[in-house]
Protein backbone atom coordinates (compact mmCIF):
# COMPACT_ATOMS: atom_id res chain seq x y z
CA UNK A 1 0.00 0.00 0.00
CA UNK A 2 2.71 2.46 0.97
CA UNK A 3 4.71 1.76 -2.18
CA UNK A 4 1.57 2.27 -4.28
CA UNK A 5 0.97 5.63 -2.64
CA UNK A 6 4.55 6.70 -3.31
CA UNK A 7 4.29 5.60 -6.93
CA UNK A 8 0.73 6.57 -7.88
CA UNK A 9 -0.42 9.14 -5.31
CA UNK A 10 -3.54 9.30 -3.14
CA UNK A 11 -5.68 7.14 -5.43
CA UNK A 12 -4.88 3.93 -7.28
CA UNK A 13 -6.61 0.68 -8.18
CA UNK A 14 -5.88 -2.91 -7.19
CA UNK A 15 -7.36 -6.09 -8.65
CA UNK A 16 -7.56 -8.75 -5.95
CA UNK A 17 -7.23 -12.44 -6.68
CA UNK A 18 -10.59 -13.99 -7.42
CA UNK A 19 -12.09 -10.72 -8.74
CA UNK A 20 -12.45 -9.55 -12.34
CA UNK A 21 -12.77 -5.82 -11.66
CA UNK A 22 -10.42 -3.51 -9.74
CA UNK A 23 -10.99 -1.82 -6.40
CA UNK A 24 -10.08 1.88 -6.32
CA UNK A 25 -8.18 2.82 -3.16
CA UNK A 26 -8.51 6.36 -1.80
CA UNK A 27 -7.04 8.12 1.23
CA UNK A 28 -8.05 11.78 0.87
CA UNK A 29 -10.56 12.64 3.65
CA UNK A 30 -12.55 14.83 1.25
CA UNK A 31 -13.02 11.89 -1.12
CA UNK A 32 -13.87 9.57 1.77
CA UNK A 33 -16.47 12.07 2.94
CA UNK A 34 -18.03 12.19 -0.54
CA UNK A 35 -18.06 8.38 -0.64
CA UNK A 36 -19.52 7.82 2.82
CA UNK A 37 -22.10 10.63 2.87
CA UNK A 38 -24.00 9.19 -0.10
CA UNK A 39 -26.20 6.53 1.54
CA UNK A 40 -27.26 5.10 -1.83
CA UNK A 41 -23.87 3.55 -2.61
CA UNK A 42 -24.08 -0.21 -2.15
CA UNK A 43 -21.86 -2.97 -0.84
CA UNK A 44 -18.98 -4.34 -2.91
CA UNK A 45 -19.67 -7.98 -3.92
CA UNK A 46 -16.85 -9.54 -1.91
CA UNK A 47 -18.52 -8.89 1.44
CA UNK A 48 -21.61 -10.98 0.71
CA UNK A 49 -19.60 -13.81 -0.83
CA UNK A 50 -17.29 -14.11 2.16
CA UNK A 51 -19.72 -13.43 5.02
CA UNK A 52 -23.18 -14.68 4.05
CA UNK A 53 -22.41 -18.41 4.57
CA UNK A 54 -21.53 -17.66 8.22
CA UNK A 55 -23.71 -14.69 9.17
CA UNK A 56 -26.80 -15.55 7.15
CA UNK A 57 -28.81 -13.52 4.60
CA UNK A 58 -30.57 -11.27 7.17
CA UNK A 59 -27.33 -9.95 8.69
CA UNK A 60 -27.39 -6.18 9.09
CA UNK A 61 -23.93 -6.14 7.48
CA UNK A 62 -25.30 -7.62 4.27
CA UNK A 63 -28.70 -5.99 3.84
CA UNK A 64 -29.15 -2.95 1.62
CA UNK A 65 -31.43 0.07 1.44
CA UNK A 66 -34.52 0.45 3.69
CA UNK A 67 -34.12 -3.04 5.19
CA UNK A 68 -30.60 -2.21 6.35
CA UNK A 69 -31.58 1.21 7.75
CA UNK A 70 -34.57 -0.24 9.63
CA UNK A 71 -32.34 -2.79 11.39
CA UNK A 72 -29.65 -0.23 12.06
CA UNK A 73 -32.18 2.00 13.83
CA UNK A 74 -33.29 -0.92 16.01
CA UNK A 75 -29.81 -2.28 16.79
CA UNK A 76 -27.90 0.95 17.43
CA UNK A 77 -29.36 2.15 20.79
CA UNK A 78 -28.08 -0.76 22.97
CA UNK A 79 -24.50 0.08 22.00
CA UNK A 80 -24.61 3.70 23.14
CA UNK A 81 -25.14 5.91 26.16
CA UNK A 82 -26.62 4.71 29.41
CA UNK A 83 -27.65 1.38 27.93
CA UNK A 84 -24.03 0.62 27.08
CA UNK A 85 -22.84 1.62 30.54
CA UNK A 86 -25.02 -1.12 32.00
CA UNK A 87 -22.50 -3.64 30.69
CA UNK A 88 -19.48 -2.09 32.42
CA UNK A 89 -19.49 -4.43 35.41
CA UNK A 90 -19.88 -7.47 33.13
CA UNK A 91 -16.86 -6.44 31.06
CA UNK A 92 -14.83 -5.70 34.19
CA UNK A 93 -15.72 -9.03 35.83
CA UNK A 94 -14.79 -10.99 32.71
CA UNK A 95 -11.49 -9.11 32.29
CA UNK A 96 -10.48 -9.51 35.95
CA UNK A 97 -11.25 -13.24 35.95
CA UNK A 98 -9.11 -13.78 32.85
CA UNK A 99 -6.19 -11.53 33.87
CA UNK A 100 -5.98 -12.93 37.40
CA UNK A 101 -5.69 -16.45 35.98
CA UNK A 102 -2.35 -15.75 34.27
CA UNK A 103 0.74 -17.32 35.92
CA UNK A 104 3.04 -14.77 37.49
CA UNK A 105 6.12 -14.05 35.38
CA UNK A 106 4.80 -16.10 32.47
CA UNK A 107 5.48 -15.46 28.81
CA UNK A 108 2.19 -15.53 26.94
CA UNK A 109 0.37 -14.27 23.86
CA UNK A 110 -2.06 -11.47 24.58
CA UNK A 111 -4.25 -11.98 21.50
CA UNK A 112 -5.82 -15.34 22.46
CA UNK A 113 -6.33 -14.07 26.01
CA UNK A 114 -8.19 -11.05 24.69
CA UNK A 115 -10.21 -13.33 22.42
CA UNK A 116 -11.30 -15.23 25.52
CA UNK A 117 -12.36 -11.97 27.17
CA UNK A 118 -14.31 -10.58 24.22
CA UNK A 119 -16.02 -13.92 23.55
CA UNK A 120 -17.20 -14.14 27.15
CA UNK A 121 -18.46 -10.54 26.98
CA UNK A 122 -20.43 -11.46 23.84
CA UNK A 123 -21.93 -14.53 25.53
CA UNK A 124 -23.00 -12.57 28.61
CA UNK A 125 -23.80 -9.04 27.44
CA UNK A 126 -24.96 -9.71 23.87
CA UNK A 127 -26.31 -13.28 23.85
CA UNK A 128 -27.28 -13.07 27.53
CA UNK A 129 -26.74 -16.80 28.06
CA UNK A 130 -27.26 -17.67 31.72
CA UNK A 131 -27.55 -21.45 31.36
CA UNK A 132 -24.04 -22.63 32.24
CA UNK A 133 -24.23 -25.80 30.14
CA UNK A 134 -25.35 -23.92 27.05
CA UNK A 135 -22.78 -21.18 27.61
CA UNK A 136 -19.99 -23.75 27.99
CA UNK A 137 -20.96 -25.42 24.72
CA UNK A 138 -21.08 -22.10 22.88
CA UNK A 139 -17.76 -21.12 24.47
CA UNK A 140 -16.24 -24.28 22.97
CA UNK A 141 -17.96 -24.21 19.56
CA UNK A 142 -17.89 -20.55 18.52
CA UNK A 143 -14.07 -20.24 18.47
CA UNK A 144 -13.94 -23.34 16.25
CA UNK A 145 -16.26 -21.63 13.78
CA UNK A 146 -14.19 -18.46 13.80
CA UNK A 147 -10.87 -20.31 13.54
CA UNK A 148 -12.19 -22.47 10.70
CA UNK A 149 -13.04 -19.42 8.62
CA UNK A 150 -9.95 -17.36 9.48
CA UNK A 151 -7.50 -18.45 6.79
CA UNK A 152 -6.90 -16.34 3.68
CA UNK A 153 -6.67 -19.49 1.55
CA UNK A 154 -10.19 -20.55 2.55
CA UNK A 155 -11.60 -17.14 1.69
CA UNK A 156 -9.86 -17.31 -1.68
CA UNK A 157 -11.36 -20.77 -2.31
CA UNK A 158 -14.80 -19.37 -1.49
CA UNK A 159 -14.34 -16.65 -4.11
CA UNK A 160 -13.17 -19.14 -6.71
CA UNK A 161 -16.04 -21.53 -5.99
CA UNK A 162 -18.56 -18.74 -6.62
CA UNK A 163 -16.83 -17.65 -9.80
CA UNK A 164 -16.33 -21.10 -11.33
CA UNK A 165 -19.27 -22.94 -9.65
CA UNK A 166 -17.01 -25.39 -7.87
CA UNK A 167 -17.78 -27.45 -4.75
CA UNK A 168 -18.57 -25.29 -1.73
CA UNK A 169 -15.35 -25.05 0.36
CA UNK A 170 -17.45 -24.26 3.46
CA UNK A 171 -19.36 -27.55 3.33
CA UNK A 172 -17.12 -28.95 6.08
CA UNK A 173 -18.65 -26.42 8.49
CA UNK A 174 -22.23 -27.66 8.10
CA UNK A 175 -22.24 -29.93 11.16
CA UNK A 176 -20.53 -27.33 13.36
CA UNK A 177 -22.88 -24.58 12.18
CA UNK A 178 -25.90 -26.79 12.76
CA UNK A 179 -24.83 -27.49 16.34
CA UNK A 180 -24.30 -23.78 17.03
CA UNK A 181 -27.67 -22.94 15.45
CA UNK A 182 -29.40 -25.49 17.65
CA UNK A 183 -27.99 -23.77 20.75
CA UNK A 184 -28.84 -20.28 19.50
CA UNK A 185 -32.41 -21.18 18.55
CA UNK A 186 -32.87 -22.80 21.97
CA UNK A 187 -31.66 -19.59 23.60
CA UNK A 188 -34.00 -17.50 21.44
CA UNK A 189 -36.96 -19.76 22.27
CA UNK A 190 -36.29 -19.58 26.01
CA UNK A 191 -35.97 -15.81 25.76
CA UNK A 192 -39.32 -15.42 24.00
CA UNK A 193 -40.93 -17.57 26.68
CA UNK A 194 -39.43 -15.58 29.55
CA UNK A 195 -42.21 -13.69 31.38
CA UNK A 196 -39.58 -11.21 32.61
CA UNK A 197 -38.12 -10.53 29.16
CA UNK A 198 -38.76 -6.79 29.45
CA UNK A 199 -36.59 -6.63 32.58
CA UNK A 200 -33.52 -8.13 30.92
CA UNK A 201 -30.66 -5.94 29.70
CA UNK A 202 -28.76 -8.23 27.31
CA UNK A 203 -28.87 -7.28 23.64
CA UNK A 204 -30.65 -10.44 22.47
CA UNK A 205 -33.55 -9.61 24.79
CA UNK A 206 -33.67 -6.03 23.53
CA UNK A 207 -33.72 -7.22 19.92
CA UNK A 208 -36.42 -9.80 20.68
CA UNK A 209 -38.60 -6.98 22.04
CA UNK A 210 -37.77 -4.47 19.28
CA UNK A 211 -40.31 -3.54 16.62
CA UNK A 212 -39.83 -1.94 13.24
CA UNK A 213 -41.93 0.99 12.09
CA UNK A 214 -44.55 -1.39 10.67
CA UNK A 215 -44.97 -3.05 14.08
CA UNK A 216 -43.24 -6.28 13.07
CA UNK A 217 -40.32 -7.75 14.99
CA UNK A 218 -37.39 -9.96 14.03
CA UNK A 219 -38.00 -13.62 13.28
CA UNK A 220 -36.02 -16.32 15.07
CA UNK A 221 -33.88 -16.77 11.95
CA UNK A 222 -33.09 -13.08 11.77
CA UNK A 223 -32.22 -12.95 15.46
CA UNK A 224 -29.83 -15.85 14.85
CA UNK A 225 -28.23 -13.99 11.92
CA UNK A 226 -27.79 -10.80 13.95
CA UNK A 227 -26.25 -12.70 16.88
CA UNK A 228 -23.62 -14.26 14.64
CA UNK A 229 -23.05 -10.89 13.00
CA UNK A 230 -22.40 -9.28 16.38
CA UNK A 231 -20.11 -12.18 17.27
CA UNK A 232 -17.98 -11.93 14.14
CA UNK A 233 -17.98 -8.13 14.05
CA UNK A 234 -17.47 -7.54 17.77
CA UNK A 235 -15.40 -10.43 19.08
CA UNK A 236 -12.42 -10.79 16.77
CA UNK A 237 -12.07 -7.08 16.02
CA UNK A 238 -12.00 -5.87 19.63
CA UNK A 239 -9.67 -8.66 20.73
CA UNK A 240 -7.30 -7.78 17.90
CA UNK A 241 -7.42 -4.07 18.71
CA UNK A 242 -6.53 -4.87 22.34
CA UNK A 243 -3.63 -7.06 21.23
CA UNK A 244 -2.26 -4.31 18.98
CA UNK A 245 -2.62 -1.77 21.79
CA UNK A 246 -0.67 -4.04 24.14
CA UNK A 247 2.07 -4.42 21.53
CA UNK A 248 2.35 -0.64 21.15
CA UNK A 249 2.40 -0.08 24.91
CA UNK A 250 5.11 -2.65 25.67
CA UNK A 251 7.34 -1.01 23.05
CA UNK A 252 6.71 2.53 24.31
CA UNK A 253 7.49 2.46 28.05
CA UNK A 254 6.94 6.19 28.61
CA UNK A 255 3.41 5.98 27.20
CA UNK A 256 2.79 2.82 29.22
CA UNK A 257 3.95 4.53 32.43
CA UNK A 258 1.86 7.62 31.77
CA UNK A 259 -1.23 5.49 31.20
CA UNK A 260 -0.54 3.36 34.29
CA UNK A 261 -0.09 6.49 36.41
CA UNK A 262 -3.41 7.88 35.18
CA UNK A 263 -5.19 4.61 35.97
CA UNK A 264 -3.62 4.44 39.44
CA UNK A 265 -4.55 8.03 40.21
CA UNK A 266 -8.16 7.42 39.21
CA UNK A 267 -8.65 11.05 38.19
CA UNK A 268 -9.98 10.61 34.68
CA UNK A 269 -9.40 8.70 31.46
CA UNK A 270 -8.21 11.35 29.01
CA UNK A 271 -4.92 9.64 28.25
CA UNK A 272 -6.60 6.22 28.12
CA UNK A 273 -8.98 7.49 25.45
CA UNK A 274 -6.03 9.01 23.58
CA UNK A 275 -4.16 5.68 23.68
CA UNK A 276 -7.17 3.86 22.23
CA UNK A 277 -7.58 6.46 19.48
CA UNK A 278 -3.90 6.36 18.61
CA UNK A 279 -3.78 2.57 18.58
CA UNK A 280 -6.76 2.40 16.23
CA UNK A 281 -5.11 5.03 14.02
CA UNK A 282 -1.75 3.31 13.75
CA UNK A 283 -3.02 -0.28 13.78
CA UNK A 284 -6.50 -0.26 12.20
CA UNK A 285 -7.93 -3.74 12.54
CA UNK A 286 -10.06 -3.71 9.38
CA UNK A 287 -8.06 -2.38 6.43
CA UNK A 288 -10.86 -1.65 3.95
CA UNK A 289 -14.51 -0.59 4.14
CA UNK A 290 -15.67 -0.02 0.60
CA UNK A 291 -18.74 0.78 -1.48
CA UNK A 292 -19.93 0.07 -5.02
CA UNK A 293 -20.87 3.42 -6.56
CA UNK A 294 -24.47 3.93 -7.59
CA UNK A 295 -23.62 7.36 -9.04
CA UNK A 296 -20.50 9.08 -10.34
CA UNK A 297 -17.78 10.17 -7.89
CA UNK A 298 -15.32 12.98 -8.61
CA UNK A 299 -11.73 12.12 -7.73
CA UNK A 300 -8.69 14.34 -8.38
CA UNK A 301 -10.11 15.70 -11.62
CA UNK A 302 -11.34 12.30 -12.76
CA UNK A 303 -14.84 10.86 -12.71
CA UNK A 304 -15.35 7.36 -11.35
CA UNK A 305 -18.53 6.01 -12.97
CA UNK A 306 -21.39 4.22 -11.25
CA UNK A 307 -20.56 0.56 -10.76
CA UNK A 308 -16.96 1.24 -9.67
CA UNK A 309 -15.82 -0.37 -6.39
CA UNK A 310 -14.15 2.22 -4.14
CA UNK A 311 -12.72 1.91 -0.63
CA UNK A 312 -10.74 4.03 1.79
CA UNK A 313 -7.30 2.52 2.33
CA UNK A 314 -7.67 3.10 6.05
CA UNK A 315 -4.03 2.81 7.09
CA UNK A 316 -2.95 5.18 4.29
CA UNK A 317 -5.51 7.72 5.48
CA UNK A 318 -4.30 7.34 9.06
CA UNK A 319 -0.66 7.96 8.09
CA UNK A 320 -1.08 11.08 6.00
CA UNK A 321 1.51 13.70 6.93
CA UNK A 322 -0.97 16.50 6.21
CA UNK A 323 -3.27 15.10 8.91
CA UNK A 324 -0.84 13.79 11.52
CA UNK A 325 2.55 15.11 12.57
CA UNK A 326 5.02 12.22 12.72
CA UNK A 327 2.36 9.95 11.20
CA UNK A 328 4.20 6.67 11.81
CA UNK A 329 4.99 7.41 15.47
CA UNK A 330 2.92 6.21 18.43
CA UNK A 331 2.01 9.52 20.06
CA UNK A 332 -1.26 9.28 22.04
CA UNK A 333 -0.85 12.86 23.25
CA UNK A 334 -1.82 14.05 19.76
CA UNK A 335 -5.43 13.24 20.72
CA UNK A 336 -5.43 14.98 24.10
CA UNK A 337 -6.26 18.38 22.67
CA UNK A 338 -8.00 17.41 19.46
CA UNK A 339 -10.56 14.74 18.70
CA UNK A 340 -10.02 12.55 15.65
CA UNK A 341 -11.38 14.09 12.47
CA UNK A 342 -14.49 12.42 11.09
CA UNK A 343 -13.04 11.34 7.76
CA UNK A 344 -9.33 11.33 8.62
CA UNK A 345 -9.81 8.68 11.33
CA UNK A 346 -12.00 5.87 10.06
CA UNK A 347 -11.15 2.60 11.87
CA UNK A 348 -14.89 1.82 12.01
CA UNK A 349 -15.80 2.95 8.50
CA UNK A 350 -18.33 5.70 8.07
CA UNK A 351 -21.71 6.90 6.94
CA UNK A 352 -24.82 4.73 7.31
CA UNK A 353 -22.58 1.66 7.47
CA UNK A 354 -20.28 2.84 10.24
CA UNK A 355 -19.77 -0.02 12.69
CA UNK A 356 -22.81 -0.33 14.96
CA UNK A 357 -20.64 -1.35 17.89
CA UNK A 358 -17.91 1.30 17.52
CA UNK A 359 -18.71 3.06 20.80
CA UNK A 360 -19.05 -0.28 22.60
CA UNK A 361 -15.70 -1.50 21.22
CA UNK A 362 -13.88 1.61 22.48
CA UNK A 363 -15.70 1.34 25.81
CA UNK A 364 -14.74 -2.34 26.15
CA UNK A 365 -11.12 -1.56 25.27
CA UNK A 366 -10.95 1.12 27.98
CA UNK A 367 -12.36 -1.18 30.66
CA UNK A 368 -10.07 -4.10 29.75
CA UNK A 369 -6.93 -1.96 29.46
CA UNK A 370 -7.68 -0.38 32.84
CA UNK A 371 -7.90 -3.77 34.55
CA UNK A 372 -4.86 -5.07 32.68
CA UNK A 373 -2.54 -2.25 33.72
CA UNK A 374 -4.05 -2.05 37.20
CA UNK A 375 -3.14 -5.69 37.85
CA UNK A 376 -0.14 -6.47 35.65
CA UNK A 377 3.20 -5.23 34.41
CA UNK A 378 3.94 -5.92 30.75
CA UNK A 379 7.30 -6.32 29.04
CA UNK A 380 8.04 -7.44 25.47
CA UNK A 381 8.98 -11.10 25.21
CA UNK A 382 10.62 -10.70 21.79
CA UNK A 383 12.51 -7.85 20.14
CA UNK A 384 10.82 -5.85 17.43
CA UNK A 385 7.20 -4.87 16.89
CA UNK A 386 4.62 -7.39 15.75
CA UNK A 387 4.15 -7.93 12.04
CA UNK A 388 0.76 -8.18 10.38
CA UNK A 389 -1.11 -11.30 9.32
CA UNK A 390 -4.59 -11.63 7.80
CA UNK A 391 -7.31 -13.32 9.89
CA UNK A 392 -10.91 -13.29 8.67
CA UNK A 393 -11.52 -9.65 7.72
CA UNK A 394 -8.94 -8.35 10.21
CA UNK A 395 -5.23 -7.57 10.24
CA UNK A 396 -3.88 -9.26 13.37
CA UNK A 397 -0.48 -9.46 15.13
CA UNK A 398 1.32 -12.40 13.54
CA UNK A 399 2.65 -13.87 16.78
CA UNK A 400 -0.25 -12.84 19.01
CA UNK A 401 1.68 -10.12 20.92
CA UNK A 402 4.12 -12.07 23.08
CA UNK A 403 4.69 -10.46 26.48
CA UNK A 404 6.12 -11.26 29.89
CA UNK A 405 3.56 -10.34 32.52
CA UNK A 406 3.85 -10.11 36.30
CA UNK A 407 1.37 -9.31 39.02
CA UNK A 408 1.68 -5.80 40.35
CA UNK A 409 2.41 -5.51 44.04
CA UNK A 410 2.36 -1.71 44.21
CA UNK A 411 -1.23 -0.92 43.27
CA UNK A 412 -3.56 0.21 46.08
CA UNK A 413 -6.20 -2.36 45.13
CA UNK A 414 -3.64 -5.14 45.52
CA UNK A 415 -2.36 -3.76 48.81
CA UNK A 416 -5.88 -3.39 50.19
CA UNK A 417 -6.59 -7.00 49.28
CA UNK A 418 -3.42 -8.20 51.06
CA UNK A 419 -4.41 -6.20 54.14
CA UNK A 420 -7.87 -7.75 54.16
CA UNK A 421 -6.43 -11.23 53.77
CA UNK A 422 -3.94 -10.67 56.58
CA UNK A 423 -6.67 -9.46 58.92
CA UNK A 424 -8.77 -12.50 58.05
CA UNK A 425 -5.85 -14.82 58.82
CA UNK A 426 -5.50 -15.98 55.22
CA UNK A 427 -2.04 -14.38 54.90
CA UNK A 428 0.46 -14.60 57.76
CA UNK A 429 4.03 -13.51 58.13
CA UNK A 430 4.13 -11.57 54.85
CA UNK A 431 5.52 -8.09 54.50
Amino acid sequence: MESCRRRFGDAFSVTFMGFTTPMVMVSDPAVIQALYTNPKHSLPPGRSIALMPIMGPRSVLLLEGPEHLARRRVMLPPFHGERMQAYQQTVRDVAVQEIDSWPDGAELSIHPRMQAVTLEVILRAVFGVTDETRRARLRALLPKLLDSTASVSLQFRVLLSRRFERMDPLAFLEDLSAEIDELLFAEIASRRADPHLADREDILSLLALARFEDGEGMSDQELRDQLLTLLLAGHETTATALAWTADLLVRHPLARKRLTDEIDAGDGDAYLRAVVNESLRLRPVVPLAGRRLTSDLELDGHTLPAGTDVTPAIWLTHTRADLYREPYAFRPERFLDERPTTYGWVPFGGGVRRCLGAAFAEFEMRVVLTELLRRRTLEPAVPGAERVTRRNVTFSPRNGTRVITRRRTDHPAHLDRRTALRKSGAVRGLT
Side-chain angles (χ1 to χ4, degrees):
M1 289 286 190
E2 181 65 35
S3 62
C4 287
R5 173 163 61 183
R6 287 195 298 267
R7 183 177 179 184
F8 301 113
D10 283 344
F12 52 88
S13 62
V14 175
T15 301
F16 294 105
M17 294 179 65
F19 289 86
T20 58
T21 57
M23 176 76 78
V24 177
M25 306 281 182
V26 299
S27 62
D28 185 338
V31 177
I32 296 172
Q33 180 175 8
L35 178 69
Y36 278 164
T37 52
N38 184 340
K40 295 182 179 179
H41 293 323
S42 61
L43 292 173
R47 178 180 289 192
S48 295
I49 292 171
L51 298 180
M52 189 177 294
I54 306 301
M55 293 183 175
R58 305 303 297 170
S59 165
V60 68
L61 284 183
L62 305 179
L63 293 173
E64 302 265 19
E67 283 193 314
H68 165 257
L69 291 176
R71 278 138 191 87
R72 185 175 177 86
R73 281 192 289 268
V74 164
M75 297 176 68
L76 192 59
F79 293 103
H80 287 76
E82 292 183 7
R83 180 70 73 177
M84 180 180 71
Q85 295 298 324
Y87 308 124
Q88 181 168 340
Q89 192 59 49
T90 297
V91 177
R92 178 176 291 116
D93 290 346
V94 171
V96 168
Q97 183 177 12
E98 169 62 31
I99 293 165
D100 284 352
S101 73
W102 300 347
D104 194 30
E107 178 181 331
L108 51 79
S109 295
I110 288 289
H111 190 213
R113 269 66 181 188
M114 295 299 99
Q115 287 175 309
V117 168
T118 58
L119 176 60
E120 192 67 20
V121 169
I122 291 281
L123 290 175
R124 297 189 190 185
V126 178
F127 291 15
V129 182
T130 56
D131 182 283
E132 282 296 337
T133 301
R134 189 177 295 155
R135 190 159 68 194
R137 290 181 67 195
L138 285 169
R139 193 184 293 122
L141 293 173
L142 289 172
K144 291 182 181 179
L145 179 67
L146 295 172
D147 290 342
S148 297
T149 58
S151 73
V152 176
S153 63
L154 175 61
Q155 294 170 35
F156 179 59
R157 293 199 304 274
V158 169
L159 293 173
L160 289 181
S161 71
R162 299 299 188 273
R163 182 175 176 185
F164 298 109
E165 298 182 356
R166 295 178 177 176
M167 183 181 297
D168 185 359
L170 294 174
F172 75 99
L173 292 176
E174 289 179 359
D175 290 344
L176 176 60
S177 295
E179 190 173 358
I180 291 171
D181 284 354
E182 179 184 355
L183 293 167
L184 293 181
F185 284 126
E187 188 66 29
I188 291 167
S190 67
R191 202 60 53 83
R192 292 202 190 276
D194 187 349
H196 304 292
L197 177 61
D199 298 327
R200 296 184 60 122
E201 294 185 328
D202 60 90
I203 290 172
L204 170 57
S205 296
L206 298 176
L207 295 183
L209 289 167
R211 294 293 179 267
F212 302 117
E213 290 182 355
D214 61 3
E216 293 295 316
M218 294 188 190
S219 67
D220 288 1
Q221 182 63 50
E222 179 161 356
L223 285 173
R224 174 266 179 207
D225 290 357
Q226 307 307 357
L227 288 178
L228 284 181
T229 297
L230 294 172
L231 169 73
L232 188 60
H235 159 59
E236 184 72 31
T237 51
T238 306
T240 302
L242 283 164
W244 279 125
T245 306
D247 185 59
L248 290 165
L249 287 172
V250 298
R251 301 185 193 286
H252 295 84
L254 293 180
R256 185 173 74 247
K257 183 180 186 304
R258 181 171 179 176
L259 178 56
T260 302
D261 289 346
E262 179 185 83
I263 290 169
D264 288 353
D267 59 355
D269 64 356
Y271 195 69
L272 173 60
R273 289 174 180 269
V275 165
V276 170
N277 288 342
E278 180 71 343
S279 174
L280 292 171
R281 181 192 73 84
L282 204 54
R283 298 290 188 270
V285 173
V286 178
L288 309 173
R291 305 284 191 272
R292 173 162 285 183
L293 301 183
T294 56
S295 58
D296 293 352
L297 178 69
E298 297 298 322
L299 173 62
D300 295 337
H302 302 283
T303 300
L304 298 179
T308 304
D309 294 328
V310 184
T311 184
I314 293 174
W315 186 78
L316 294 183
T317 302
H318 289 182
T319 53
R320 290 177 63 100
D322 59 343
L323 293 179
Y324 300 103
R325 186 166 62 90
E326 298 180 72
Y328 303 106
F330 180 65
R331 296 181 60 251
E333 55 271 18
R334 75 173 81 241
F335 289 117
L336 287 176
D337 298 322
E338 296 184 8
R339 291 178 57 83
T341 60
T342 302
Y343 298 103
W345 186 86
V346 286
F348 299 105
V352 296
R353 288 196 172 274
R354 189 175 190 269
C355 175
L356 280 168
F360 188 89
E362 293 181 68
F363 159 78
E364 186 175 2
M365 288 180 69
R366 292 194 299 271
V367 174
V368 174
L369 288 170
T370 294
E371 299 307 324
L372 177 59
L373 293 180
R374 179 176 284 159
R375 286 168 162 74
R376 293 278 171 164
T377 63
L378 300 175
E379 297 294 337
V382 294
E386 279 277 4
R387 301 186 69 180
V388 174
T389 190
R390 174 83 177 270
R391 179 181 167 84
N392 282 324
V393 296
T394 66
F395 277 1
S396 300
R398 179 172 296 177
N399 296 309
T401 305
R402 301 290 297 174
V403 301
I404 297 170
T405 174
R406 294 181 174 84
R407 295 187 183 93
R408 287 186 59 188
T409 58
D410 60 337
H411 188 269
H414 176 86
L415 297 175
D416 290 345
R417 181 173 180 272
R418 286 171 62 89
T419 300
L421 288 171
R422 184 180 292 111
K423 289 180 178 179
S424 68
V427 176
R428 299 182 187 278
L430 297 179
T431 59

